[in-house]
């Protein structure tokens, strides 16, 4: 390890320049992120922690102002509360939504007042205590606040007098430039739970008021920030082009072999996969079912089964991803299964070390969110080290917990290994994509008939609403009622998550890959083709590789009886 001694001379009143310099040093990996956040921490008695969510409040000057509230952004939480100030009780909304350190996250809501009055928007931050009951400072950054239907002064914070944004009241918070680039312009607001910024705007009865804003977090002392790769021409970026358009071969090796019959993928499937326009297959495999003894040795039969798939793929110029999937014991007891994980990957790595680079490994499909970031990254680092002993040039895919973009901030990949691609899954809106099948324990047969995009021409009526939770019924209500621009069954439901994945990739210099998306074949063919087309269009424009669910089962692409794609599917995925 190389140590660099840096001497910095700065005047006391030039703290802003020092902070910018330190942030640059963190971004280039010269100093540890913890050093940076320690220097930003307001005091040793109030520890600093990266905020995982942003928080702000809307406070009404009188009743019946914050009515008919609609959350437009897919993620977030709006709570109606009562605030007591100077013996007066005010109707208010407390809004929270997830944010990250690598991009500006949008949030939108709409409401329609029933009377004239004033609304105060208070930009604050999350409240959380450490084990010593001392609250963390968790900084929220704010920018580009826009309100349609009312007038807001200086929502982009570009007009400032020192740290004072014109038109805003400071209560400990500030607005200035800093080490993180603004969403737009130069300046942004900085707040925390006890250091806020607020302003007031007038609303009129019957006017639709829409608030759009962006928030972001600062690097954390609790978790090291992943070092950025500035090049967009790494080994992984080059390899990602081989895995641009794929299909998952499910319902075979990821299942218990005692419950699987004949191999469902004959040679003709591979020829058809290639001729349709796919360039790779992704094979989910439950290796744990093939452990032969207490030393975790694999039964050779699993390699025989995989070899049939690889051989047929290679004969048809299809690249292959082998993904450990369905490892339920690891999902429930991850730390107890690490030795098993390492020993099995050592055998896989040894067996395939002479195979070409168009065979790639995916370490574990959708690791559990119960794993904290340091534990997950340690497991990944150890597994990567094992593979690199025999396979220094093979591409490795890995995913955040639950393969969710919400956990991308967990990842801290080894900077020296630039042949890693991060995979995520996006199946939103799930009540459309999973209609007719089971989703997280919910039987969604009741939802057959949901169309994409919403709203439907005729309201969708649940036959047995008592069998479904309130969240589903609330979604159906919005699906029937809301116009296309804010409907929960529209492009915005998946573009929100894909935007986060794209921004993570661009900021950190790591390719992203969508290892699963699709809609069940219970959906009507026109809705399916519209959904796949819009989803694929976004991914292609963002240069993100993908693999659909699936070839011939619940999310099937192909009609096996006719050996033809289902109506509209080829056009949706491969035609411009």
């Amino acid at each position: 390890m190389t140590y660099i001694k840096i001497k910095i001379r700065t005047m006391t009143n030039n703290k802003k320049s020092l902070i910018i310099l330190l942030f640059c040093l963190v971004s280039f990996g010269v100093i540890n992120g913890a050093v940076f956040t320690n220097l930003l921490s307001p005091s040793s008695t109030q520890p600093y922690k990266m905020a995982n969510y942003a928080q702000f409040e809307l406070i009404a000057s009188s009743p019946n102002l914050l009515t008919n509230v609609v959350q437009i952004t897919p993620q977030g939480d709006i709570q109606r509360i009562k605030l007591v100030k100077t013996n007066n009780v005010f109707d208010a909304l407390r809004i929270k939504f997830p944010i990250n350190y690598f991009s500006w996250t949008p949030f939108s809501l709409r409401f329609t007042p029933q009377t004239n009055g004033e609304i105060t928007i208070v930009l604050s931050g999350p409240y959380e205590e450490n084990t010593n009951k001392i609250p963390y400072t968790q900084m929220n950054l704010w920018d580009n606040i826009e309100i349609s239907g009312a007038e807001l002064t200086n929502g982009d914070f570009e007009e400032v007098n020192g740290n004072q944004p014109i038109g805003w009241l400071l209560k400990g918070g500030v607005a200035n430039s800093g080490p993180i680039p603004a969403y737009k312009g130069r300046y942004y607001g900085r707040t925390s739970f006890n250091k806020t910024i607020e302003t007031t705007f007038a609303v009129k009865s019957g006017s639709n008021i829409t608030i759009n804003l962006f928030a972001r977090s600062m690097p954390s002392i609790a978790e090291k920030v992943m070092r950025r790769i500035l090049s967009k021409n790494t080994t992984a970026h080059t390899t990602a082009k081989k895995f641009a358009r794929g299909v998952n071969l499910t319902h075979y090796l990821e299942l218990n072999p005692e419950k699987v019959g004949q191999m469902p993928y004959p040679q003709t499937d591979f020829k058809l996969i290639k001729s349709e326009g796919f360039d790779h297959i992704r094979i989910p495999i439950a290796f744990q079912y093939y452990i032969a003894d207490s030393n975790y040795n694999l039964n050779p039969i699993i390699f025989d089964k995989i070899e049939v798939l690889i051989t047929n793929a290679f004969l048809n110029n299809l690249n292959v991803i082998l993904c450990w999937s369905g490892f339920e014991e690891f999902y429930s007891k991850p730390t107890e299964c690490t030795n098993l994980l390492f020993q099995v990957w050592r055998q896989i790595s040894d067996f395939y070390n002479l195979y070409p680079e168009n065979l790639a490994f995916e370490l574990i499909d959708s690791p559990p969110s119960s794993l904290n970031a340091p534990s997950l990254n340690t497991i990944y680092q150890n597994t990567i080290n094992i593979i690199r002993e025999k396979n220094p040039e093979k591409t490795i895919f890995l995913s955040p917990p639950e393969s969710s973009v919400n956990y991308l901030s967990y990842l801290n990949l080894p900077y020296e290994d630039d042949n890693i691609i991060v995979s995520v899954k996006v199946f939103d809106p799930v009540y459309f994509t999973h209609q007719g099948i089971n989703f997280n324990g919910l039987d969604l047969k009741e939802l057959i008939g949901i169309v994409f995009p919403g709203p439907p021409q005729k309201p969708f009526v649940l036959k047995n609403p008592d069998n479904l939770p309130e969240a589903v019924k609330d979604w159906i209500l919005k699906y029937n009622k809301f116009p296309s621009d804010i409907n929960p069954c529209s492009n915005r439901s998946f573009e929100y998550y894909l935007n986060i994945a794209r921004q993570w990739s661009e900021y950190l210099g790591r390719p992203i890959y969508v290892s699963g998306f699709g809609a069940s074949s219970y959906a009507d063919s026109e809705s399916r083709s519209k959904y796949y087309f819009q989803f694929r269009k976004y991914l292609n424009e963002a240069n993100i590789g993908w693999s659909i669910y699936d070839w011939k089962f619940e999310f099937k692409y192909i009609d096996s009886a006719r050996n033809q794609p289902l109506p509209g599917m080829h056009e949706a995925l491969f035609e411009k």
Side-chain angles (χ1 to χ4, degrees):
M1 180 178 292
T2 303
Y3 293 90
I4 301 174
K5 184 178 290 186
I6 300 175
K7 183 179 291 186
I8 301 175
R9 295 183 179 180
T10 180
M11 299 298 291
T12 306
N13 61 359
N14 201 20
K15 184 178 180 181
K16 186 188 300 183
S17 299
L18 175 59
I19 292 175
I20 294 172
L21 173 60
L22 290 169
F23 184 78
C24 292
L25 294 174
V26 171
S27 297
F28 285 95
V30 177
I31 64 174
N32 187 285
V35 174
F36 174 62
T37 48
N38 269 325
L39 290 166
L40 289 182
S41 186
S43 72
S44 58
T45 58
Q46 191 169 336
Y48 188 90
K49 182 179 181 181
M50 182 173 66
N52 292 319
Y53 65 90
Q55 179 174 313
F56 69 99
E57 287 79 36
L58 297 176
I59 304 172
S61 62
S62 58
N64 299 318
L65 288 177
L66 294 169
T67 53
N68 303 308
V69 179
V70 176
Q71 180 177 312
I72 300 174
T73 306
Q75 281 201 306
D77 178 63
I78 300 177
Q79 294 181 327
R80 189 171 294 276
I81 59 174
K82 297 293 183 182
L83 288 182
V84 180
K85 290 187 176 182
T86 60
N87 296 324
N88 292 319
V89 179
F90 295 90
D91 185 28
L93 299 176
R94 176 167 291 148
I95 299 100
K96 301 178 181 180
F97 60 98
I99 57 174
N100 57 67
Y101 71 90
F102 53 81
S103 67
W104 287 93
T105 302
F107 185 85
S108 302
L109 66 84
R110 181 178 296 178
F111 64 95
T112 306
Q114 296 179 5
T115 185
N116 297 339
E118 291 185 333
I119 302 292
T120 299
I121 179 171
V122 181
L123 306 179
S124 54
Y127 182 88
E128 181 183 355
E129 295 178 349
N130 66 8
T131 55
N132 295 321
K133 304 297 183 181
I134 300 174
Y136 291 104
T137 291
Q138 299 184 78
M139 192 177 296
N140 284 176
L141 310 183
W142 306 90
D143 203 3
N144 206 50
I145 303 173
E146 297 178 341
I147 300 180
S148 64
E151 292 188 8
L152 178 73
T153 300
N154 194 23
D156 58 4
F157 302 108
E158 290 303 299
E159 299 178 48
V160 296
N161 182 9
N163 290 331
Q164 169 77 50
I166 305 302
W168 291 76
L169 175 63
L170 299 187
K171 293 187 175 181
V174 297
N176 52 29
S177 61
I180 290 178
Y183 176 80
K184 187 180 294 184
R186 182 180 177 187
Y187 300 102
Y188 47 80
R190 304 189 198 202
T191 63
S192 60
F193 79 93
N194 60 347
K195 296 181 179 181
T196 64
I197 304 174
E198 63 182 57
T199 191
T200 300
F201 57 92
V203 295
K204 294 182 179 179
S205 175
S207 297
N208 288 326
I209 310 298
T210 302
I211 299 177
N212 301 297
L213 51 77
F214 290 82
R216 189 168 178 165
S217 60
M218 287 284 281
S220 158
I221 187 174
E223 297 177 350
K224 295 180 181 179
V225 176
M226 188 165 85
R227 187 176 173 184
R228 300 172 66 188
I229 294 179
L230 301 183
S231 172
K232 298 300 186 290
N233 192 32
T234 66
T235 305
H237 285 94
T238 301
T239 307
K241 298 173 185 177
K242 299 179 181 179
F243 299 94
R245 305 175 303 277
V247 59
N248 280 273
L249 301 190
T250 63
H251 288 70
Y252 180 37
L253 295 182
E254 82 277 25
L255 302 179
N256 189 324
E258 296 178 358
K259 300 178 182 179
V260 178
Q262 186 178 358
M263 199 273 282
Y265 298 106
Q267 293 181 6
T268 51
D269 274 341
F270 296 87
K271 293 179 181 178
L272 196 52
I273 289 171
K274 182 64 178 181
S275 65
E276 282 297 302
F278 296 98
D279 61 19
H280 74 280
I281 60 172
R282 182 175 179 266
I283 308 174
I285 307 165
F287 287 103
Q288 71 276 6
Y289 289 130
Y290 296 89
I291 293 173
D293 55 43
S294 58
N295 294 320
Y296 307 130
N297 289 311
L298 287 171
N299 188 327
I301 193 173
I302 184 57
F303 293 113
D304 295 338
K305 291 181 176 182
I306 296 172
E307 189 64 24
V308 174
L309 301 177
I310 292 178
T311 299
N312 284 324
F314 284 179
L315 286 173
N316 289 279
N317 295 314
L318 291 166
N319 304 312
V320 178
I321 301 172
L322 303 182
C323 173
W324 193 336
S325 182
F327 192 0
E328 297 297 337
E329 190 176 0
F330 180 81
Y331 299 155
S332 60
K333 303 174 183 176
T335 55
E336 297 178 21
C337 296
T338 52
N339 285 336
L340 186 157
L341 185 78
F342 299 154
Q343 292 304 319
V344 170
W345 268 115
R346 187 178 300 281
Q347 294 171 73
I348 299 168
S349 178
D350 289 350
F351 189 89
Y352 294 109
N353 74 309
L354 297 180
Y355 279 60
E357 270 60 61
N358 50 339
L359 174 69
F361 300 145
E362 187 166 349
L363 301 187
I364 190 76
D365 191 20
S366 304
S369 57
S370 59
L371 269 175
N372 60 37
S375 297
L376 177 64
N377 288 311
T378 298
I379 290 172
Y380 275 159
Q381 180 67 75
N382 290 335
T383 311
I384 291 168
N385 291 343
I386 289 169
I387 292 172
R388 289 296 181 231
E389 290 175 10
K390 296 289 183 70
N391 292 273
E393 297 181 357
K394 275 200 175 58
T395 299
I396 293 174
F397 289 73
L398 54 79
S399 63
E402 300 178 7
S403 295
S404 169
V405 300
N406 292 331
Y407 292 106
L408 282 169
S409 294
Y410 270 49
L411 297 178
N412 194 345
L413 307 182
Y415 177 79
E416 63 279 2
D417 194 329
D418 69 351
N419 198 9
I420 297 173
I421 297 175
V422 172
S423 64
V424 296
K425 294 177 183 176
V426 178
F427 281 98
D428 294 87
V430 293
Y431 300 133
F432 165 73
T433 62
H434 284 66
Q435 60 182 283
I437 61 178
N438 188 285
F439 171 72
N440 284 352
L442 283 177
D443 185 347
L444 299 184
K445 290 186 177 66
E446 182 83 8
L447 300 187
I448 293 176
I450 298 290
V451 301
F452 181 90
Q457 292 183 351
K458 295 181 179 180
F460 183 85
V461 179
L462 292 168
K463 297 178 182 178
N464 300 292
D466 293 341
N467 296 336
L468 295 169
E470 289 300 318
V472 178
K473 290 184 279 189
D474 181 63
W475 188 91
I476 293 294
L477 181 67
K478 295 175 180 176
Y479 163 71
N480 285 330
K481 179 181 178 182
F482 290 174
S484 57
D485 63 325
I486 61 172
N487 197 280
C489 193
S490 63
N491 292 8
R492 49 177 291 277
S493 64
F494 58 79
E495 288 179 354
Y496 172 87
Y497 298 100
L498 295 178
N499 280 333
I500 294 174
R502 175 184 56 80
Q503 291 167 340
W504 180 91
S505 175
E506 291 175 353
Y507 182 79
L508 289 160
R510 301 281 188 168
I512 206 85
Y513 168 80
V514 176
S515 61
F517 79 94
S520 85
S521 55
Y522 287 99
D524 69 276
S525 58
E526 182 179 358
S527 292
R528 286 189 88 214
S529 60
K530 287 180 180 178
Y531 177 79
Y532 278 88
F533 173 77
Q534 294 297 336
F535 206 113
R536 185 266 302 180
K537 180 182 177 184
Y538 181 102
L539 295 178
N540 284 7
E541 290 175 353
N543 292 316
I544 296 174
W546 49 263
S547 183
I548 63 165
Y549 265 70
D550 50 26
W551 180 241
K552 57 168 51 172
F553 292 95
E554 287 100 335
F555 293 78
K556 60 187 175 183
Y557 175 91
I558 202 74
D559 181 342
S560 297
R562 297 171 52 246
N563 266 349
Q564 294 289 331
L566 291 176
M569 290 298 291
H570 178 83
E571 294 78 6
L573 288 177
F574 298 107
E575 292 190 1
K576 295 181 180 180

